[in-house]
């Protein structure tokens, strides 16, 4: 899975579970950070979140679930 595919997956899931628009959730997710697998072998990605505290809480719950299935992503 690529970083952009991961972002699309997260946005779709947030819209489905929490409502709102994809544009709102993309802004709240912020920028994805993809790290080298050599230094981060268990999970090589994270997001630099923006948005409200409520959005952060919703995003963190979804991120926890998604990390279990997609812990390694490729740049792109």
């Amino acid at each position: 899975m690529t970083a952009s595919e991961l972002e699309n997956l997260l946005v779709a899931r947030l819209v489905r579970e929490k409502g709102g628009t994809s544009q709102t959730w993309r802004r709240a997710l912020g920028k994805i950070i993809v790290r080298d697998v050599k230094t981060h072998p268990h999970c090589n990605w994270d997001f630099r979140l923006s948005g409200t505290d409520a959005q952060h809480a919703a995003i963190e719950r979804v991120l926890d679930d998604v990390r279990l299935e997609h812990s390694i992503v490729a740049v792109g």
Side-chain angles (χ1 to χ4, degrees), residues 14 18-21 23-29 49-63:
L14 286 161
K18 299 297 179 183
T21 66
Q23 184 179 22
T24 299
W25 287 113
R26 280 187 200 284
R27 277 195 306 261
L29 271 172
L49 302 180
S50 59
T52 66
D53 289 340
Q55 287 172 327
H56 284 207
I59 291 168
E60 287 294 341
R61 281 191 292 278
V62 171
L63 289 179

Side-chain angles (χ1 to χ4, degrees), residues 13-56:
R13 204 161 148 189
L14 286 161
V15 168
R16 185 174 59 247
E17 293 179 12
K18 299 297 179 183
T21 66
S22 59
Q23 184 179 22
T24 299
W25 287 113
R26 280 187 200 284
R27 277 195 306 261
L29 271 172
K31 182 174 172 55
I32 189 169
I33 302 161
V34 179
R35 297 181 176 98
D36 191 333
V37 177
K38 292 177 185 174
T39 57
H40 295 80
H42 299 292
C43 184
N44 75 328
W45 58 267
D46 202 358
F47 281 86
R48 194 165 290 144
L49 302 180
S50 59
T52 66
D53 289 340
Q55 287 172 327
H56 284 207

